[in-house]
Amino acid sequence: KRWSTISLIDILKEADLQVGFSEKVNTVASRENIPKEKLQKRLLLSLYGIGSNTGLKRMSAANNDVNYSDLRYVKRKFINVANVRAAIAEVVNKIIEIRDLRIWGEATTSVACDSKKINAWDQNLIAEWHARYKGRGVMVYWHVELKSTCIYSQLKDCSSSEVGSMIKGIIDHDTDMDINRVFIDTHGQSVIGFAVSYLLHFALYPRLKAINKQKLYYVDSKDKNKYTNIAEILKGSIKWQLIEDNYDEMVKHMVALKLGIVTPSVLIKRFSNNNYAHPVYKALVELGKANKTIFLCQYLASEELRIEVNEGLNVVERLNSVMDFIFYGKLGQIATNNVEDQELSVLCLHLLQVCMVYINTLIIQSILSGSHWQNKFTPRDYRALTPLFSGHINPYGLFPLDFSKRLSIGLTI
């Protein structure tokens, strides 16, 4: 009743007025002459037009004091990948800061990762035909914490490694969140992924589809006879000497990852079956086998862990549907062949999502602070709360019907 209908652009505006993320969007020119109030309005209109995929021309048509050239200028001089990422981090950090622990619980350190295909023009090298989802397009990889805030997004092609994308998000996110657990789907994990997660000090928890085909490894070859009741799922022993001999080299590669000298996707491509003779690859495989065996034992023994993994990944699925709700323009297709513009579309979409979560968090906290709701929620009710709802949000424009106005087309004089 209090907030039955809110325009999506008003959510973006209110989030900026409270957080001030537009101050992170600085010009690439040598000087700036646009007054602050005008610049703020043009920035928000441009970010909304790109993030909702409706385009700058439609945004300028609805605002008499802004024309299409103004918005194009602002996009060219102010809106780039680095600036939008800084704005996103500002909003995410504010969400973490304002959360009421009595409602949302203790701060989470877990994220769930998954990708989503978006249709896009195919005249560049990043757009590909997707074998599973069908159709040409690009993939967007999300890192979403368990309270529905997307902390990192990245554009990638359909055939690129999800393991590399997962690692990149853990390393490159610029928010205040401290990540130590990662939930991921089956195709987002590998033996190398388990090795890297151990070396970078975060726990990798995949949802394994064909878990009946997974194999366990024992500590030493002498131990094989100890586990006669599970002999069918034992494959071999861990070669600890390989890990010890190449440990320094493995650490060097992890440092290169942290410093950005090498990208995770390049590292994953290098250490693949095509390079099986590389000693560091062999050591990473052995370390990954050991770490994956520990995870499988925990996953099979703990129903709570299996529930937690599925709950985390369900948050990402919910996020995907909300992203379709926001990115409605041009039937959800990225209508450009410029890779940088495609990435900007994804990042502006990400910015709209975190602004929605920010405002919805304030709405829920405002409602539940009333005396009427005191002591009425059970722990299960609180667990079901999510700031990722959109039933009260109108992403579209207003279309008044006025019979007193006519189009001067085909009218007899």
Side-chain angles (χ1 to χ4, degrees), residues 21-276:
F21 62 80
S22 61
E23 296 177 3
K24 297 289 183 181
V25 185
N26 300 314
T27 181
V28 296
S30 58
R31 57 180 180 168
E32 177 183 323
N33 292 326
I34 305 175
K36 184 177 180 180
E37 293 76 15
K38 287 186 177 181
L39 177 60
Q40 184 181 26
K41 181 173 182 177
R42 293 175 188 181
L43 279 174
L44 294 181
L45 288 173
S46 300
L47 290 169
Y48 183 84
I50 299 169
S52 64
N53 208 29
T54 52
L56 302 183
K57 187 172 289 186
R58 289 179 176 85
M59 301 307 299
S60 62
N63 295 272
N64 295 329
D65 57 338
V66 176
N67 59 47
Y68 180 49
S69 298
D70 293 335
L71 298 186
R72 286 189 63 190
Y73 176 83
V74 166
K75 179 189 174 185
R76 188 170 67 252
K77 296 296 184 181
F78 290 85
I79 300 176
N80 55 53
V81 171
N83 285 346
V84 180
R85 285 203 184 277
I88 291 169
E90 192 77 7
V91 181
V92 171
N93 291 339
K94 191 66 176 179
I95 292 171
I96 296 172
E97 178 188 331
I98 62 146
R99 275 185 184 151
D100 189 339
L101 299 183
R102 295 170 298 177
I103 296 174
W104 305 106
E106 294 296 326
T108 176
T109 56
S110 304
V111 296
C113 308
D114 202 3
S115 60
K116 175 180 174 58
K117 174 182 166 291
I118 295 182
N119 294 331
W121 287 1
D122 61 348
Q123 296 302 312
N124 64 47
L125 295 178
I126 197 172
E128 296 178 346
W129 178 272
H130 199 288
R132 185 153 58 101
Y133 297 120
K134 310 303 180 185
R136 294 187 179 276
V138 295
M139 299 297 288
V140 185
Y141 201 77
W142 313 112
H143 284 66
V144 188
E145 56 97 34
L146 298 188
K147 300 301 180 183
S148 302
T149 303
C150 184
I151 66 166
Y152 193 79
S153 60
Q154 53 192 299
L155 185 75
K156 67 190 195 75
D157 57 74
C158 297
S159 60
S160 62
S161 168
E162 292 209 9
V163 181
S165 301
M166 177 270 296
I167 296 170
K168 179 176 174 61
I170 302 301
I171 295 173
D172 289 351
H173 81 94
D174 295 324
T175 69
D176 293 338
M177 186 174 177
D178 183 20
I179 301 173
N180 61 22
R181 306 179 84 187
V182 178
F183 304 129
I184 200 166
D185 229 332
T186 305
H187 42 272
Q189 57 83 32
S190 67
V191 175
I192 298 295
F194 273 100
V196 173
S197 70
Y198 177 83
L199 293 169
L200 293 180
H201 303 293
F202 67 87
L204 183 61
Y205 290 139
R207 176 172 59 188
L208 296 172
K209 189 174 182 180
I211 194 169
N212 60 313
K213 297 180 181 179
Q214 300 296 326
K215 299 295 182 181
L216 302 180
Y217 293 84
Y218 39 91
V219 177
D220 192 270
S221 56
K222 300 175 184 177
D223 296 336
K224 184 175 183 180
N225 296 329
K226 291 182 180 180
Y227 313 110
T228 53
N229 56 331
I230 56 171
E232 293 295 324
I233 59 172
L234 295 178
K235 192 167 183 180
S237 60
I238 307 296
K239 299 173 184 176
W240 302 104
Q241 193 60 46
L242 264 176
I243 299 175
E244 184 177 346
D245 292 344
N246 296 280
Y247 190 78
D248 289 346
E249 288 298 318
M250 289 193 292
V251 171
K252 286 180 182 178
H253 281 84
M254 295 306 108
V255 172
L257 273 180
K258 296 281 282 186
L259 296 178
I261 298 172
V262 63
T263 63
S265 58
V266 170
L267 183 77
I268 296 299
K269 285 180 181 178
R270 181 181 184 186
F271 294 134
S272 63
N273 290 333
N274 297 328
N275 202 14
Y276 65 90

Side-chain angles (χ1 to χ4, degrees), residues 350-365:
H350 183 184
L351 178 62
L352 288 176
Q353 190 270 340
V354 293
C355 288
M356 181 193 293
V357 170
Y358 174 76
I359 297 299
N360 284 348
T361 299
L362 292 176
I363 287 175
I364 291 174
Q365 292 180 178

Side-chain angles (χ1 to χ4, degrees), residues 256-320:
L257 273 180
K258 296 281 282 186
L259 296 178
I261 298 172
V262 63
T263 63
S265 58
V266 170
L267 183 77
I268 296 299
K269 285 180 181 178
R270 181 181 184 186
F271 294 134
S272 63
N273 290 333
N274 297 328
N275 202 14
Y276 65 90
H278 198 292
V280 178
Y281 170 71
K282 290 181 178 180
L284 285 170
V285 167
E286 295 302 317
L287 181 59
K289 288 176 181 178
N291 202 28
K292 187 174 183 179
T293 298
I294 294 170
F295 162 74
L296 286 170
C297 294
Q298 294 173 340
Y299 190 76
L300 291 169
S302 173
E303 183 181 6
E304 291 77 13
L305 177 58
R306 296 196 295 273
I307 292 173
E308 188 179 359
V309 171
N310 278 278
E311 281 183 346
L313 292 172
N314 286 341
V315 171
V316 188
E317 299 301 336
R318 170 64 179 152
L319 175 82
N320 286 335

Side-chain angles (χ1 to χ4, degrees), residues 2 366-377 382:
R2 229 184 280 182
S366 176
I367 293 294
L368 296 185
S369 63
S371 58
H372 175 71
W373 292 103
Q374 298 302 314
N375 303 320
K376 286 198 173 184
F377 271 37
Y382 281 116

